[in-house]
């Protein structure tokens, strides 16, 4: 089974191709440029380097949210365009679950943290049991104090990763009562390979959709939508 994976849910842009248990190639960038500039050129270069016939893939896995609203839209549009052109199914991979897959096999709890602004995080709490990823707290958008309280309640060592780990490091140091650590550079951000692996699992479970049906899962309103609602409330008072 061959999976093409795309992740543009955060600052990182990443594409990867897996075939069964082999990672054929991965291209990841985390440097100042927008996903609209990088994603398609990265995909084209990766496909050329591994001599990939796009018609040979079985499905397209895309990090479907939560995350950056603009990034998710770019990733979704890219996946949909490819899916429609190639007549391939899309696997919507939860962003936070895919981040947790970076630390596959650890015996510690895993807590991805993506900065959602306003002291909130896109996050969850995971463990690996019997060779499978299990969500103890499914991906959600909550205040940092809420997720740290949940982690303290588990009373187990935890590894933090994601762009929010640095943002909330001071709060974690002051409020996390269990042993913790931060994932190193090669594991702490989004990776297309993790999206591909988890996408392959979901694909085998029958959790793929037609390209026309795919849409991101934002988990909360965009800033513009929140401001519009606040303006509407003020106007009615």
């Amino acid at each position: 089974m061959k999976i093409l994976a795309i992740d543009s849910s955060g600052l990182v842009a990443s594409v990867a191709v897996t075939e069964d248990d082999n990672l054929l190639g991965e291209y990841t960038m985390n440097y100042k440029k927008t996903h609209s500039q990088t994603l398609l050129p990265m995909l084209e270069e990766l496909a050329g380097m591994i001599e990939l016939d796009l018609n040979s893939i079985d499905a397209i896995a895309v990090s479907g949210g939560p995350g950056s609203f603009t990034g998710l839209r770019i990733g979704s549009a890219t996946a949909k365009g490819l899916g429609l052109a190639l007549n391939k199914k899309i696997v919507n991979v939860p962003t936070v679950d895919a981040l947790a897959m970076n630390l596959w096999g650890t015996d510690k709890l895993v807590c991805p943290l993506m900065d959602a602004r306003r002291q909130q995080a896109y996050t969850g709490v995971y463990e690996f049991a019997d060779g499978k990823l299990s969500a103890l707290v499914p991906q959600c958008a909550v205040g940092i104090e809420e997720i740290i309280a949940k982690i303290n309640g588990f009373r187990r060592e935890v590894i933090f990763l994601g762009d929010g780990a640095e943002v909330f490091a001071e709060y974690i140091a002051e409020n996390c009562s269990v042993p913790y650590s931060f994932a190193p550079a090669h594991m702490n951000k989004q990776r297309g390979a993790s999206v591909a692996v988890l996408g392959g699992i979901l694909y085998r479970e029958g959790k793929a959709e037609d390209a026309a049906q795919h849409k991101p899962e934002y988990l909360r309103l965009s800033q513009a939508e929140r401001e519009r609602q606040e303006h509407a409330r003020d106007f009615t008072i």
Side-chain angles (χ1 to χ4, degrees), residues 34-93:
T34 64
H35 298 321
S36 59
Q37 293 175 292
T38 59
L39 204 58
L40 284 175
M42 288 166 58
L43 176 57
E44 183 178 5
E45 185 168 349
L46 176 62
M49 290 293 290
I50 64 173
E51 300 179 342
L52 175 67
D53 177 2
L54 287 173
N55 289 293
S56 71
I57 65 174
D58 292 284
I60 301 163
V62 60
S63 181
S68 157
F69 285 81
T70 301
L72 291 175
R73 290 187 181 108
I74 292 170
S76 177
T78 302
K80 289 184 75 164
L82 289 170
L84 290 168
L86 300 169
N87 193 27
K88 302 295 182 181
K89 296 276 190 177
I90 291 180
V91 183
N92 189 336
V93 178

Side-chain angles (χ1 to χ4, degrees), residues 161-198:
L161 72 158
D163 60 36
E166 182 177 359
V167 173
F168 299 115
E170 183 176 347
Y171 185 91
I172 291 169
E174 294 174 354
N175 295 278
C176 189
S177 62
V178 300
Y180 68 88
S181 58
F182 296 102
H186 65 298
M187 296 179 176
N188 67 9
K189 299 293 191 304
Q190 286 89 337
R191 288 192 61 185
S194 292
V195 175
V197 171
L198 187 51

Side-chain angles (χ1 to χ4, degrees), residues 3-18 22-30 35 39 42 46 61-64 93-104 112 114 161-163 183-200:
I3 301 291
L4 167 65
I6 298 169
D7 194 324
S8 57
S9 59
L11 296 175
V12 171
S14 186
V15 295
V17 178
T18 58
N22 295 309
L23 174 61
L24 300 183
E26 182 180 32
Y27 193 157
T28 300
M29 289 291 295
N30 182 22
H35 298 321
L39 204 58
M42 288 166 58
L46 176 62
V62 60
S63 181
V93 178
T95 299
V96 183
D97 293 18
L99 263 171
M101 282 292 289
N102 288 6
L103 300 180
W104 189 92
M114 297 176 64
L161 72 158
D163 60 36
H186 65 298
M187 296 179 176
N188 67 9
K189 299 293 191 304
Q190 286 89 337
R191 288 192 61 185
S194 292
V195 175
V197 171
L198 187 51

